[in-house]
């Protein structure tokens, strides 16, 4: 399996830890970045761009976060109109179908995963990238 | 000079009795001729009796014949008017009385008569005619009943003479005394000054110009000073481009207007409750799931891949997650309880004192000279639940302090404004501010935070808004990122 670089954007440290542990078990990631809200992630990634550093390829994005929530982050990324496709998985506790449908309207969003996500689900999604 | 046809007709009546019969039977509903010198003698034509439902053959030519059938109080009235007419020929004998028809129904009869006098000027005979106006009166009484039931009156203005007529119901809606004589200027003055009066004046002027009607919902202040909502319709009649008459209807719609307002208020209450419920179910679906999901993930990992996370780390995470779960449940219980205690009685609270005491508390922990400026008018009082006012002001003031800018001295100013029904409190800080474009819709939502602060829980503004609305107030916010925030609170006086 080709290793992918990962970015986790979530304000809940426990969840970040769980996601990391699951990804470790799949043994699929290259380097990994974590941010605790949408704004922090956006600023951090823009900095990487400026310095010509490599950007992560796969993103796990929480919805309910302070400053910029997941929607704000998706809106701002869409505005960049970047040529380089990124794969974003929305990872949220909300099992509201409206949230899932809304997430899938974004081109960059490859899937909507409801927490708690299992190893099997994560593996399956990863294999499809 | 008499027209030749008129003199011919007069002659014809004299010579040919059928002409007189024709007039008496067709044009009139009864003719009577009364001997004032011998008052029991009175001749009535056949039509007189047929009109009242009786067989003329059975009715003697005596005044007592009809005096048994007329309503007693109307008989007295007719006798009084007769006396006046006999005494002074300028008093016309013309009145409307009620008869009991043979069927038992009421017949409305218009009496008109004239005394015939001898050479000495003494009245010796009385000639009278009947006109039956029962049909008209019945229709009128139905109309009156409808008008009265619908609280709808009418008015009629003779523009040439300037005389304004108000129907009974119109007078009743205005609550004017019996001797009140309306005129146009007064009628306009009954409309509440400002929008209502301006609208009616403009509508009347326009209608006089173009003859088109108007239909307006306006407010009046009655003779007794009571405010009412009315629907006012009017239209001018033009003759050769000039207004000659104006008329319209006037309906009291206060009840339906109030019902509509009440309905709207109820709708708003339900909409707010619905929003709270939605919010609540979203929180239950989202935040409780977050913690429960974390616990499940950790336990799943532990059983399937024990080496993924160390046992001591696993226990630490489980402990903090279960703590978070419990806290969320407690918060939800608090919110549910708060919505349930809205029935509490509101009492007067002096805002200046509340703000002072909160500022004193906050100053105890004030290590970096954050300044609170209390400019609330000392006498200002609002109707509220005191515990809510404490909580609302404490939350907003401690927020101002918590989210201050570290680069400059922090300050928050609390001021008050009053109008007739409300007190407005303004709380303005020079803190970090909030990005309103991004956050306007979620500012007062539950579990929403807008700054990276270790103590931000996303509950304060949610609870504050709930408390403000529970005591009938409103809360607004305006903010500029990096400049500061202003909260405006409106409370009932």
């Amino acid at each position: 399996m080709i290793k992918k670089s990962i970015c986790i954007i979530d304000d809940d440290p426990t969840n970040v830890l769980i996601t990391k542990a699951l990804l470790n078990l799949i043994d699929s990631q290259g380097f990994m970045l974590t941010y605790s809200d949408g704004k922090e992630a956006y600023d951090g990634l823009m900095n990487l761009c400026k310095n010509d550093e490599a950007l992560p390829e796969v993103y796990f994005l929480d919805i309910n976060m302070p400053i910029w929530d997941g929607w704000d982050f998706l809106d701002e990324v869409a505005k960049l109109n970047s040529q380089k496709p990124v794969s974003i998985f929305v990872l949220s506790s909300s099992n509201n179908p409206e949230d899932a449908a809304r997430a899938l309207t974004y081109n960059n969003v490859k899937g909507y995963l409801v927490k708690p996500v299992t190893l099997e689900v994560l593996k399956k999604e990863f294999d499809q990238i | 000079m008499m027209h030749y046809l008129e003199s011919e007709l007069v002659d014809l009546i004299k010579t040919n009795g059928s002409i007189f019969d024709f007039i008496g039977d067709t044009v009139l509903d009864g003719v009577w001729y009364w001997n004032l010198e011998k008052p029991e003698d009175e001749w009535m034509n056949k039509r007189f009796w047929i009109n009242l439902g009786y067989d003329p053959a059975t009715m003697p030519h005596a005044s007592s014949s009809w005096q048994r059938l007329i309503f007693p109080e109307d008989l007295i009235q007719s006798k009084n008017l007769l006396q006046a007419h006999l005494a002074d020929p300028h008093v016309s004998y013309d009145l409307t009385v009620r008869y009991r028809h043979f069927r038992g129904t009421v017949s409305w009869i218009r009496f008109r008569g004239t005394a015939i006098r001898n050479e000495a000027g003494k009245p010796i005979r009385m000639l009278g005619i009947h006109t039956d106006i029962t049909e008209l009166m019945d229709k009128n009484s139905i109309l009156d009943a409808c008008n009265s039931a619908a609280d709808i009156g009418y008015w009629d203005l003779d523009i040439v003479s300037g005389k304004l007529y108000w129907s009974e119901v119109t007078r009743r809606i205005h609550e004017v005394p019996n001797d009140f004589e309306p005129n146009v200027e007064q009628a306009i003055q009954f409309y509440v000054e400002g929008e209502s009066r301006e609208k009616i004046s403009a509508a009347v002027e326009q209608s006089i110009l173009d003859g088109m009607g108007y239909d307006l919902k306006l407010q009046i202040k009655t003779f007794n000073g009571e405010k009412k909502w009315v629907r006012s319709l009017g239209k001018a009649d033009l003759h050769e481009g000039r207004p000659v008459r104006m008329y319209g209807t006037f309906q009291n719609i206060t009840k339906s207007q109030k019902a509509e307002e009440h309905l709207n208020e109820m709708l708003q209450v339900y909409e707010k409750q619905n929003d709270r419920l939605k919010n609540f179910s979203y929180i239950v679906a989202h935040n409780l799931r977050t913690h429960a999901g974390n616990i499940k993930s950790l336990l799943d990992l532990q059983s399937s891949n024990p080496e993924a996370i160390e046992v001591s780390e696993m226990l630490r995470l489980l402990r903090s997650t279960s703590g978070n779960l419990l806290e969320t449940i407690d918060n939800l219980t608090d919110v549910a309880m708060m919505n349930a205690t809205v029935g509490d009685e509101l009492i007067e609270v002096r805002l200046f004192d509340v703000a002072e005491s909160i500022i004193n508390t906050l100053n105890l922990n004030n290590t970096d000279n954050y300044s609170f400026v209390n400019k609330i008018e000392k006498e200002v009082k609002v109707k509220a639940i005191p515990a809510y006012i404490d909580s609302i002001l404490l939350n907003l003031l401690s927020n101002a302090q918590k989210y201050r800018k570290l680069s400059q001295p922090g300050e928050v100013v609390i001021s008050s404004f009053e109008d007739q029904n409300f007190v407005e409190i303004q709380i303005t800080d020079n803190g970090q501010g909030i990005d309103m474009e991004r956050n306007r819709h979620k500012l007062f939502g539950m579990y929403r935070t807008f700054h990276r602060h270790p103590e931000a829980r996303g509950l304060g503004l949610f609870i504050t808004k709930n408390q403000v609305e529970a005591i009938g107030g409103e809360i607004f916010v305006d903010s500029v990122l990096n400049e500061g925030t202003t909260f405006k609170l409106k409370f009932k006086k």
Side-chain angles (χ1 to χ4, degrees), chain B residues 127-384:
Chain B
L127 173 64
I129 54 147
H130 279 185
T131 315
D132 191 319
I133 56 167
T134 307
E135 207 180 324
L136 184 69
M137 292 302 277
D138 282 353
K139 280 186 182 152
N140 262 348
S141 68
I142 290 171
L143 191 65
D144 283 347
C146 290
N147 284 351
S148 189
D151 229 352
I152 184 165
Y154 59 92
W155 53 272
D156 198 342
L157 171 68
D158 182 338
I159 292 179
V160 181
S161 71
K163 195 164 164 47
L164 174 64
Y165 171 78
W166 276 2
S167 78
E168 198 51 46
V169 178
T170 303
R171 299 179 67 92
R172 200 176 68 204
I173 296 171
H174 283 89
E175 297 176 346
V176 292
N178 290 335
D179 60 352
F180 183 85
E181 293 284 342
N183 61 44
V184 180
E185 287 73 30
Q186 278 173 322
I188 298 276
Q189 292 295 316
F190 273 103
Y191 287 90
V192 171
E193 207 179 338
E195 201 192 340
S196 286
R197 201 178 294 168
E198 283 160 21
K199 274 190 177 169
I200 192 70
S201 304
V204 168
E205 274 171 37
Q206 187 60 37
S207 186
I208 283 173
L209 283 179
D210 60 17
M212 301 292 279
Y214 62 82
D215 180 351
L216 299 168
K217 268 189 190 177
L218 302 168
Q219 260 192 311
I220 62 161
K221 197 172 185 183
T222 67
F223 193 86
N224 296 332
E226 196 194 331
K227 277 193 181 170
K228 286 181 179 173
W229 277 99
V230 295
R231 182 174 173 197
S232 180
L233 275 82
K235 184 187 181 309
D237 271 351
L238 305 185
H239 176 66
E240 292 171 350
R242 286 184 28 209
V244 289
R245 177 185 174 215
M246 199 159 174
Y247 55 94
T249 60
F250 196 79
Q251 186 177 17
N252 182 5
I253 54 166
T254 310
K255 264 190 204 157
S256 66
Q257 197 71 15
K258 284 204 172 134
E260 203 179 308
E261 281 168 17
H262 183 65
L263 206 63
N264 279 333
E265 275 172 25
M266 293 306 287
L267 197 66
Q268 277 180 8
V269 169
Y270 285 123
E271 272 174 2
K272 274 181 191 162
Q273 269 176 5
N274 197 30
D275 282 351
R276 278 204 285 261
L277 271 176
K278 262 194 196 158
N279 206 338
F280 201 79
S281 64
Y282 181 82
I283 300 308
V284 171
H286 185 270
N287 290 62
L288 291 180
R289 286 195 92 254
T290 301
H291 305 310
N294 281 350
I295 292 174
K296 184 175 186 315
S297 292
L298 289 169
L299 294 174
D300 282 353
L301 263 176
Q302 173 63 24
S303 60
S304 63
N305 302 81
E307 72 287 358
I309 300 176
E310 268 183 52
V311 174
S312 62
E313 174 70 355
M314 180 72 77
L315 285 176
R316 190 186 66 77
L317 290 174
L318 279 175
R319 203 175 297 126
S320 84
T321 305
S322 62
N324 290 340
L325 178 60
L326 204 60
E327 195 191 320
T328 304
I329 291 171
D330 286 346
N331 290 340
L332 289 175
T333 314
D334 285 350
V335 170
M337 288 303 291
M338 186 174 66
N339 287 338
T341 55
V342 168
D344 284 15
E345 275 216 20
L346 306 185
I347 58 173
E348 286 199 329
V349 179
R350 201 188 287 264
L351 286 173
F352 178 86
D353 298 348
V354 177
E356 272 307 283
S357 121
I358 289 168
I359 289 167
N360 287 337
T361 312
L362 291 173
N363 274 334
L364 290 179
N365 302 323
N366 194 353
T367 49
D368 49 7
N369 277 326
Y370 191 85
S371 40
F372 297 93
V373 184
N374 187 358
K375 284 190 185 167
I376 298 177
E377 296 289 334
K378 287 208 170 97
E379 295 309 315
V380 163
K381 287 180 201 155
V382 297
K383 287 221 174 72

Side-chain angles (χ1 to χ4, degrees), chain A:
Chain A
M1 189 189 284
I2 303 156
K3 297 201 174 192
K4 301 274 187 192
S5 49
I6 307 277
C7 177
I8 300 172
I9 307 165
D10 196 329
D11 62 328
D12 175 3
T14 305
N15 211 280
V16 171
L17 234 141
I18 292 167
T19 310
K20 270 187 185 170
L22 290 173
L23 289 168
N24 268 329
L25 290 172
I26 306 176
D27 193 23
S28 54
Q29 85 279 21
F31 70 89
M32 186 179 307
L33 294 172
T34 58
Y35 298 106
S36 62
D37 67 70
K39 173 80 172 141
E40 192 187 77
Y42 184 85
D43 291 346
L45 295 168
M46 289 303 277
N47 248 330
L48 292 181
C49 268
K50 257 189 229 155
N51 301 332
D52 265 343
E53 288 179 56
L55 287 172
E57 294 154 286
V58 181
Y59 296 76
F60 291 96
L61 175 69
D62 185 25
I63 289 297
N64 198 3
M65 294 181 291
I67 323 288
W68 288 13
D69 61 19
W71 305 123
D72 292 328
F73 178 81
L74 287 172
D75 287 337
E76 294 299 330
V77 169
K79 274 187 214 159
L80 291 176
N81 232 338
S82 162
Q83 298 304 311
K84 202 180 159 200
V86 290
S87 300
I88 299 174
F89 290 96
V90 172
L91 190 56
S92 167
S93 289
S94 164
N95 52 7
N96 183 345
E98 277 176 34
D99 284 342
R102 181 175 169 193
L104 295 171
T105 61
Y106 293 89
N107 280 335
N108 288 320
V109 173
K110 299 293 178 259
Y112 184 92
L113 311 180
V114 178
K115 292 178 191 172
V117 70
T118 60
L119 195 57
E120 290 71 39
V121 170
L122 206 59
K123 231 180 209 162
K124 207 177 106 197
E125 294 290 339
F126 229 79
D127 289 344
Q128 283 171 6
I129 299 169

